[in-house]
């Protein structure tokens, strides 16, 4: 078994179940960063292998036998069937909880820096599009924990759109756009258990439309 084969098999398991690597880890009850690409090599440049306990928890969480995992490792598994033949490309991926930190976006809301993970998802026209992995239950029932949404900074926004908004305080929200005027932005919560929000225009760094979701 090779280091690359093991990690390829984990990525394949995640893809077969419509999850990112971090979404798969969360589903298995592990730290969401357990399978991140940045964790696969140590700071000294040595390969880091997933533990047998982690693999066992993943297989238990998705109900897959060990044989299916070993088939993926050896390359003998049948290729998963895709629902569509949509073209794929790698786009930046960030967790919603991370998105408020500095260094991930420029002033216009475009992804920057080298700390992003990546994911294969359907190609979109906006070359600056990126993916956000939902965490928590604040967006239920529309978006659930572990869902991935594609955000397009270039897409125009209008009333009723689902959007991601970043405030100047670093708060990042996924909401529905209710109204946008020259002075205010009003947002409705997707989960009725959470309050609606509104901001003065100068309190918002950027707003971008959600154009796709993996559900």
């Amino acid at each position: 078994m090779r280091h690359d084969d093991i990690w390829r098999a984990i990525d394949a398991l995640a893809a077969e179940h419509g999850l990112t690597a971090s979404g798969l880890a969360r589903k298995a009850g592990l730290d969401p960063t357990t399978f991140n690409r940045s964790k696969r090599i140590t700071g000294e440049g040595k390969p880091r292998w997933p533990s047998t306990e982690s693999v066992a928890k993943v297989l238990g969480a998705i109900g897959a036998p060990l044989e299916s995992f070993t088939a993926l490792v050896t390359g003998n598994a049948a290729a998963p069937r895709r629902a569509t033949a949509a073209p794929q490309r790698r786009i930046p991926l960030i967790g919603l909880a991370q998105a408020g930190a500095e260094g991930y976006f420029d002033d216009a809301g475009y992804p920057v820096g080298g700390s992003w993970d990546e994911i294969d998802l359907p190609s979109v026209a906006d070359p600056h599009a990126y993916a956000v992995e939902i965490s928590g239950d604040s967006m239920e029932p529309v978006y659930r924990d572990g869902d991935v949404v594609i955000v397009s900074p270039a897409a125009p926004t209008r009333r009723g759109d689902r959007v991601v908004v970043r405030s100047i305080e670093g708060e990042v929200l996924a909401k529905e756009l209710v109204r946008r005027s020259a002075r205010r932005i009003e947002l409705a919560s997707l989960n009725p258990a959470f309050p609606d929000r509104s901001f003065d225009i100068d309190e918002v760094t950027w707003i971008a439309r959600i154009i796709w979701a993996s559900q």
Side-chain angles (χ1 to χ4, degrees), residues 86-184:
Q88 304 276 311
R89 73 178 176 95
R90 298 186 73 81
I91 64 174
L93 169 70
I94 193 173
L96 188 67
Q98 294 175 275
E102 297 298 328
Y104 288 102
F105 298 94
D106 64 15
D107 292 341
Y110 296 113
V112 295
S115 300
W116 291 74
D117 203 345
E118 290 186 329
I119 188 172
D120 289 320
L121 283 176
S123 181
V124 293
D126 182 2
H128 300 291
Y130 56 90
V132 175
E133 184 174 357
I134 301 299
S135 58
D137 61 356
S138 65
M139 274 68 76
E140 291 184 352
V142 180
Y143 302 127
R144 299 162 296 178
D145 187 68
D147 284 346
V148 172
V149 298
I150 296 181
V151 177
S152 173
T157 57
R158 59 185 179 182
R159 182 175 180 176
D161 285 342
R162 292 163 186 167
V163 296
V164 174
V165 178
R166 189 180 195 273
S167 74
I168 59 174
E169 301 296 329
E171 185 179 15
V172 178
L173 308 166
K175 303 282 186 182
E176 181 178 312
L177 180 61
V178 175
R179 184 171 179 268
R180 183 176 187 175
S181 69
R183 296 183 178 181
R184 299 282 294 176

